[in-house]
């Protein structure tokens, strides 16, 4: 398991922030909302990636590779070698799937991400945990702690599997 990062998105806040995190990560790595790699731009021939890295790559010329936030832009081969495997794994059908677990005691936020978001097809359904009773903690720390004790084995198994 060399340099792989698994994110745990826990609760309403964790899942909302995590959802935005994965949208940004997809944008930066050139991954479409369905998990497929974006195609190259027809005009410049540069890859479509977040920010201005593709413009910087074409401005630099073929003489040197540029480094951009952990990504190496190789103008000679015109692609970004950016270690997608740190945050994503690639399935057999070429989709990039986040190394993320979405965990919540109530279904509202996780269902919003996995059913109504633009990135709804991105996440692995086996990496979603919603408590069976679905009531949530109701902003009560003691209730969340008690429910967490009831479900911790299931969550630990999910982490081990990932």
């Amino acid at each position: 398991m060399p340099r792989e990062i698994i994110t745990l998105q826990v609760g309403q806040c964790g899942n909302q922030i995590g959802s935005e995190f994965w949208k940004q990560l997809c944008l930066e790595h050139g991954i479409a909302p369905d998990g497929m790699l974006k195609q190259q731009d027809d005009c410049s021939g540069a890859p479509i990636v977040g920010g201005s890295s593709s413009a910087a790559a074409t401005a630099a010329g073929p003489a040197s590779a540029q480094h951009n936030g952990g990504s190496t832009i190789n103008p000679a081969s015109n692609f970004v070698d950016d270690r997608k495997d740190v945050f994503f794994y690639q399935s057999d059908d070429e989709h990039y799937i986040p190394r993320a677990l979405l965990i919540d005691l109530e279904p509202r936020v996780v269902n919003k991400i996995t059913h109504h978001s633009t990135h709804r097809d991105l996440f692995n359904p086996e990496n979603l945990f919603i408590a069976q009773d679905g009531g949530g903690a109701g902003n009560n720390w003691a209730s969340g702690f008690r429910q967490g004790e009831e479900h911790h084995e299931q969550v630990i198994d999910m982490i081990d599997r990932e």
Side-chain angles (χ1 to χ4, degrees), residues 102-105 110 127-132 151 154-155 158:
L102 286 68
I103 303 163
D104 206 344
L105 294 174
V110 174
N127 289 352
L128 309 176
F129 175 82
I130 301 170
Q132 293 295 334
H151 302 294
Q154 225 175 334
V155 173
M158 289 173 63

Side-chain angles (χ1 to χ4, degrees), residues 15-16 47-48 56-57 62 64 68 73 84 87 94 99-101 120 123 128 136 159:
N15 279 300
Q16 289 172 332
I48 300 173
S64 66
N68 182 13
I73 301 170
K84 291 173 186 59
F87 286 104
E94 302 297 317
R99 298 180 192 278
L101 274 68
R120 64 183 160 265
F123 297 97
L128 309 176
I159 293 170

Side-chain angles (χ1 to χ4, degrees), residues 20-32 37-38 47-54 68-73 80-84 87-88 119:
E20 294 304 313
F21 171 77
W22 287 108
K23 287 178 187 177
Q24 184 64 33
L25 215 55
C26 286
L27 187 68
E28 290 176 3
H29 288 278
I31 297 172
L37 211 52
K38 290 183 179 178
I48 300 173
V49 293
S52 60
S53 60
S54 60
N68 182 13
S71 302
T72 303
I73 301 170
V80 177
D81 179 22
D82 65 354
R83 297 294 316 262
K84 291 173 186 59
F87 286 104
F88 298 89
H119 290 72

Side-chain angles (χ1 to χ4, degrees), residues 50-146:
S52 60
S53 60
S54 60
T58 51
S64 66
Q66 285 189 345
H67 297 283
N68 182 13
S71 302
T72 303
I73 301 170
N74 187 345
S77 61
N78 207 19
F79 72 93
V80 177
D81 179 22
D82 65 354
R83 297 294 316 262
K84 291 173 186 59
D85 60 327
V86 172
F87 286 104
F88 298 89
Y89 64 89
Q90 196 168 13
S91 66
D92 294 336
D93 62 352
E94 302 297 317
H95 281 80
Y96 283 93
I97 300 172
R99 298 180 192 278
L101 274 68
L102 286 68
I103 303 163
D104 206 344
L105 294 174
E106 61 106 4
R108 186 176 51 87
V109 176
V110 174
N111 284 344
K112 183 178 178 186
I113 293 168
T114 58
H115 292 99
H116 305 291
S117 167
T118 55
H119 290 72
R120 64 183 160 265
D121 298 326
L122 190 63
F123 297 97
N124 181 355
E126 293 178 6
N127 289 352
L128 309 176
F129 175 82
I130 301 170
Q132 293 295 334
D133 56 8
N139 220 13
N140 182 335
W141 184 89
S143 174
F145 184 82
R146 180 190 54 77

Side-chain angles (χ1 to χ4, degrees), residues 3-24:
R3 299 179 191 231
E4 295 172 352
I5 297 174
I6 300 172
T7 61
L8 302 178
Q9 300 172 200
V10 182
Q12 177 180 349
C13 181
N15 279 300
Q16 289 172 332
I17 291 172
S19 175
E20 294 304 313
F21 171 77
W22 287 108
K23 287 178 187 177
Q24 184 64 33

